[in-house]
Amino acid sequence: MNHSLRLLLLLLCLQLAADEVIGITRGDFPSDFVFGAGTSSYQYEGGVAEDGRTPSIWDTFVHEGRTRDKSTGDVASDGYHKYKEDAKLMTDVGIEAYRFSISWSRILPNGRGAVNPKGLIYYKNFINEIVKRGIRLHVNLHHLDLPQILQDEYGGWLSPNIVDDFKEYADICFKEFGDQVSHWTTIVEPNVYALGGYDSGIFAPARCSYPFGRTNCTAGNSTTEPYIAVHNMLLAHAKVVNLYRTKYQDNQNGQIGMNFYSFWVYPTSNSSDDIEAAQRVFDFQFGWVLNPVVFGDYPKIMKKIAGSKLPNFTSSQSNLLRGSYDFIGLNHYSSAFVSDNSDILKESLRDFTSDMAARLGTSSNSSASTQFDPSHVVLDPIGLQKMLEYLKQNYGDPPLYVEENGYCFGANISTAVNDTARVDALSDYIKATLEAIRSGVNAKGYFAWSFIDVFEYLNGYKSSCGLYHVDFADELRPRTPKLSARWYSNFLKSDSKAVGIIERSDLQHMFRLSQ
Ligand SMILES: *[C@@H]1O[C@H](CO)[C@@H](O)[C@H](O)[C@H]1NC(C)=O
Ligand SMILES: *[C@@H]1O[C@H](CO)[C@@H](O)[C@H](O)[C@H]1NC(C)=O
Ligand SMILES: *[C@@H]1O[C@H](CO)[C@@H](O)[C@H](O)[C@H]1NC(C)=O
Ligand SMILES: *[C@@H]1O[C@H](CO)[C@@H](O)[C@H](O)[C@H]1NC(C)=O
Ligand SMILES: *[C@@H]1O[C@H](CO)[C@@H](O)[C@H](O)[C@H]1NC(C)=O
Ligand SMILES: *[C@@H]1O[C@H](CO)[C@@H](O)[C@H](O)[C@H]1NC(C)=O
Ligand SMILES: *[C@@H]1O[C@H](CO)[C@@H](O)[C@H](O)[C@H]1NC(C)=O
C-alpha cells in the first residue's frame, strides 16, 4: 500500500472510531471562540538591522551576553524573510487566528517622528498574506521590545514621556493596519516586563539594585522602579485604548484589550497566613495590572504595603483607566505554591518581590524562593481553569482570551519533532479552557505559544515552544511540523462528529506514516 493511501485509511479509521474516543472537539467550543497560535516581533523576525530598523532594548540586552545561552535574535526564525512560507503553514495547520507583535523601532526608528516606509511595507505584506487565507489577526502593539533610543533619551517606561510616544506609535499602527486587525492588545505582560526588567534584571533593560538583582545590572532601583514602570505602562495603555475608541473603533470594528502574565497560586497549607499570602501574591502579581484597568486603582494591599513607592492616579487618570478594555488577555503556563513570608516586611529596604511578603515554589514541599521566576513551570491545567473562573468572579465577567499557553522544553533529536509531552500539555489545557466555559466563563479564544520555534526571552534557543521545529543551526532556518502541529491541525479541522483529541497511539501511528 502506498504512503498516502495508508494515511487516508488511517484517517478514515480515526473518523469511524470517533464515538468511542473520549475527548473533545473543536465543535464543543462556541462557534465564535477562536483558536490560534502566536509569535512576537523580536523573537520571530530577525532582520534586526535591515531596511531602517533600529535596535530595541532586547538587541542591547542580548549583545551584552545576557541570555542564558548567550544567543541573540539577530536572525531568530528569520520571519522577516520567511513570512510568506509561514502564512502557508498557518493554512496547513488550520489556525483561525494569528497573534503577533509589531516592532516599534521598525515602524519608528527614532521612537517617534519619521515613519519608516519599509517597516510599514513588511507588516502590510505579512498581514495581506495572512488575511487572504481567511485567518484573523490579533496584534500586540508592544511585546517587551522598546526602541533603545527612547530608553537612552529618557529612561523608557520610567518616564511619563513614554505615554505620548506610545500613543503616537499606536496611532500609526491603527491608521495603517487597523482595517485588517480584529483584536489589538496594547502591552504584553506589563507585570513580567517590570519584574524582569527593573527588579531582578533578567529581562531588558536589565535594571536592578543590590541586593535584589539576579544579574549584573549597571543601574537601577529594584525598590521603586518596577512600580513606576508599570504605572507608566498603565497610563499609556489607557490613552491608547481611548484613542482607538474615539478615532478608529467605529470604522474598523475591532476590539482592544490588555494582557498580563498569569499563574495560578495555591497556598502551601490551609493556615490563614498562607491563604492570605496567596491572595497577596495574586494582588501584587496580577491585580497590579488588572485592578487599575478594571476598577481604576491599585489593590488596597499594594497601597498599604508599598506606600509612597506606589504612584497615585489622579482622578482623571483613574477614570480613563477604569473599563479600558474590551477583553482581557492572559498568558498562562503554570501554577505556583505560596507560603507566607510576612517577617520580611520588618526590613526597611525591600524590592517589589519583598513587598509581596510571600515565598513562591514549584511544589508544596520545594525549597521556595522569594524571587519570581517565570521559567519555573509546573504544568497544571486545572490551574488555568481556576484562573479563568477567578477572573470571571472577581473582575466583572470580562471576555477572556488565553493569549499564550504551551509547553516549552529543551528538545533533543528524539523529542524535538516527536513532542508528545507538548501534545499532552496543549490538549489538557484546551480541555481545561472548555471546562471553564462550561462553568460559565466568557472565554473567547485560545492561542498556543508559539506557532513556530522562536528566540525565547529566557532561554534563547535552549528551549523551544513551537508547533513547528526551526533548525536554528541551518542558515535557511527550515521549518518541520512537530507532532503537536499535526495534533492541533487534526483538532481544529474536526467538527462535532469527528475526533478532536485522538488517542496517543493513533497519533504516534499517524506520525510515523507521514514522516
Ligand atoms: C557578574 O559579574 C561578575 C564579575 O564580573 C561575574 O563573576 C559574574 O558571573 C557575573 N554574574 C552574572 C549573573 O552575570
Ligand atoms: C531607590 O529610590 C529610593 C526613592 O527615591 C531611594 O530612597 C533609594 O535610595 C534608591 N535606591 C537605590 C539603590 O538607588
Ligand atoms: C485545604 O483544605 C481543603 C479543603 O478541606 C483541602 O482540599 C486541601 O487539600 C487543603 N490543603 C492543604 C494544603 O492542606
Ligand atoms: C498617594 O496618596 C496617598 C493618599 O492621599 C498618600 O498618602 C500617598 O503618599 C500618595 N503617594 C504618592 C506616591 O504620592
Ligand atoms: C515533594 O513531593 C513530591 C511529590 O509530592 C515528591 O516526589 C518529592 O520527593 C518531595 N520532595 C521533597 C524534597 O520532599
Ligand atoms: C531526549 O529527551 C528526553 C526527554 O527529556 C529524554 O528522556 C531522552 O533520554 C533524551 N534522549 C537523548 C538521546 O538525549
Ligand atoms: C515518540 O516518543 C514516544 C515516547 O514519548 C515513543 O513512544 C514513540 O515511539 C516515539 N515515536 C517516534 C516515531 O519516534
Side-chain angles (χ1 to χ4, degrees):
M1 229 183 322
N2 78 27
H3 193 95
S4 45
L5 185 59
R6 281 200 303 181
L7 186 58
L8 185 68
L9 277 176
L10 175 71
L11 291 173
L12 279 173
C13 291
L14 290 174
Q15 291 275 349
L16 293 173
D19 290 342
E20 290 159 36
V21 176
I22 300 166
I24 54 169
T25 73
R26 172 66 183 93
D28 291 327
F29 287 81
S31 57
D32 68 344
F33 188 92
V34 68
F35 279 99
T39 61
S40 90
S41 47
Y42 184 72
Q43 297 175 271
Y44 167 72
E45 290 173 7
V48 292
E50 281 180 64
D51 294 338
R53 180 189 180 276
T54 59
S56 73
I57 55 175
W58 269 91
D59 294 79
T60 307
F61 183 89
V62 300
H63 282 282
E64 287 171 353
R66 291 184 182 275
T67 12
R68 283 182 186 164
D69 65 351
K70 309 287 175 210
S71 63
T72 78
D74 287 359
V75 181
S77 322
D78 200 21
Y80 194 64
H81 301 107
K82 294 180 71 95
Y83 67 91
K84 279 194 186 169
E85 180 184 335
D86 291 337
K88 186 179 171 305
L89 300 181
M90 292 172 205
T91 302
D92 290 352
V93 177
I95 57 172
E96 301 156 4
Y98 178 60
R99 172 179 179 268
F100 71 101
S101 72
I102 295 171
S103 159
W104 184 341
S105 63
R106 207 183 276 294
I107 300 290
L108 289 167
N110 296 318
R112 61 171 168 275
V115 176
N116 174 21
K118 289 184 173 166
L120 294 181
I121 288 169
Y122 169 67
Y123 290 110
K124 286 191 173 172
N125 287 342
F126 195 8
I127 284 171
N128 287 338
E129 282 299 317
I130 298 166
V131 168
K132 79 179 188 198
R133 296 168 180 280
I135 296 165
R136 267 176 277 171
L137 294 177
H138 285 233
V139 181
N140 303 314
L141 288 168
H142 187 56
H143 194 131
L144 303 160
D145 52 347
L146 187 77
Q148 180 65 41
I149 197 166
L150 299 182
Q151 188 70 33
D152 295 341
E153 186 183 324
Y154 53 67
W157 291 108
L158 294 178
S159 164
N161 292 356
I162 195 80
V163 175
D164 284 336
D165 285 347
F166 186 59
K167 187 178 155 196
E168 179 184 327
Y169 160 63
D171 201 356
I172 293 159
C173 293
F174 295 149
K175 178 158 81 67
E176 298 288 342
F177 314 125
D179 285 339
Q180 313 264 44
V181 173
S182 71
H183 290 71
W184 290 101
T185 295
T186 53
I187 300 173
V188 177
E189 301 179 350
N191 48 347
V192 162
Y193 199 166
L195 291 180
Y198 301 87
D199 191 348
S200 65
I202 60 169
F203 271 18
R207 292 179 65 84
C208 59
S209 60
Y210 182 80
F212 303 111
R214 283 160 65 205
T215 182
N216 292 326
C217 298
T218 50
N221 188 332
S222 300
T223 70
T224 54
E225 290 185 0
Y227 292 106
I228 296 166
V230 164
H231 194 72
N232 290 322
M233 288 180 206
L234 289 165
L235 295 176
H237 158 84
K239 277 233 169 148
V240 163
V241 170
N242 187 55
L243 169 74
Y244 185 69
R245 285 180 168 171
T246 53
K247 194 168 163 189
Y248 295 100
Q249 195 161 34
D250 284 349
N251 295 326
Q252 298 184 341
N253 287 313
Q255 301 209 328
I256 188 161
M258 176 56 114
N259 170 282
F260 73 107
Y261 182 91
S262 72
F263 51 87
W264 185 245
V265 283
Y266 294 103
T268 50
S269 82
N270 277 327
S271 74
S272 57
D273 284 353
D274 285 346
I275 290 171
E276 272 173 39
Q279 183 63 49
R280 207 160 49 238
V281 167
F282 203 102
D283 290 336
F284 268 82
Q285 295 276 349
F286 319 130
W288 189 18
V289 174
L290 291 174
N291 286 45
V293 165
V294 176
F295 305 122
D297 203 359
Y298 294 114
K300 283 200 180 70
I301 188 73
M302 288 190 76
K303 295 176 153 202
K304 185 172 167 222
I305 294 177
S308 63
K309 295 191 289 182
L310 187 65
N312 284 326
F313 295 115
T314 66
S315 62
S316 67
Q317 289 169 338
S318 176
N319 288 336
L320 204 58
L321 266 163
R322 190 182 307 113
S324 59
Y325 63 95
D326 299 323
F327 65 89
I328 288 169
L330 56 151
N331 297 356
H332 189 98
Y333 293 92
S334 65
S335 295
F337 290 86
V338 169
S339 56
D340 179 53
N341 190 29
S342 294
D343 281 352
I344 204 169
L345 296 178
K346 291 177 191 146
E347 309 273 337
S348 56
L349 184 64
R350 302 191 308 263
D351 65 340
F352 178 94
T353 316
S354 326
D355 287 344
M356 207 165 62
R359 295 179 189 280
L360 289 180
T362 52
S363 73
S364 54
N365 62 4
S366 66
S367 58
S369 148
T370 54
Q371 286 284 3
F372 175 83
D373 186 348
S375 68
H376 281 178
V377 170
V378 185
L379 291 180
D380 177 36
I382 299 288
L384 173 59
Q385 184 186 338
K386 287 177 188 290
M387 176 61 77
L388 293 168
E389 289 170 357
Y390 184 94
L391 294 173
K392 173 190 166 69
Q393 281 149 20
N394 294 280
Y395 289 96
D397 196 12
L400 296 170
Y401 286 84
V402 179
E403 291 194 314
E404 281 185 26
N405 173 249
Y407 189 27
C408 308
F409 47 86
N412 55 41
I413 282 172
S414 57
T415 56
V417 178
N418 182 22
D419 59 338
T420 53
R422 183 170 291 109
V423 169
D424 289 347
L426 291 173
S427 65
D428 288 348
Y429 274 97
I430 288 173
K431 274 185 203 164
T433 306
L434 183 61
E435 287 306 319
I437 291 171
R438 286 177 173 161
S439 77
V441 169
N442 190 15
K444 307 296 279 181
Y446 174 94
F447 289 77
W449 180 268
S450 49
F451 180 60
I452 68 173
D453 287 347
V454 297
F455 167 84
E456 283 299 329
Y457 277 131
L458 276 168
N459 293 315
Y461 303 105
K462 286 273 183 253
S463 162
S464 74
C465 324
L467 301 173
Y468 277 81
H469 176 260
V470 174
D471 183 354
F472 292 103
D474 184 328
E475 67 179 31
L476 296 175
R477 298 293 191 275
R479 280 87 160 114
T480 308
K482 300 182 188 178
L483 184 64
S484 54
R486 297 174 196 282
W487 171 79
Y488 201 34
S489 179
N490 188 283
F491 170 72
L492 291 176
K493 290 172 183 171
S494 69
D495 59 28
S496 57
K497 289 195 192 110
V499 184
I501 288 168
I502 56 184
E503 296 290 9
R504 212 201 228 224
S505 57
D506 293 334
L507 260 179
Q508 297 286 341
H509 190 189
M510 180 164 77
F511 179 62
R512 271 194 298 275
L513 286 172
S514 57
Q515 277 297 290

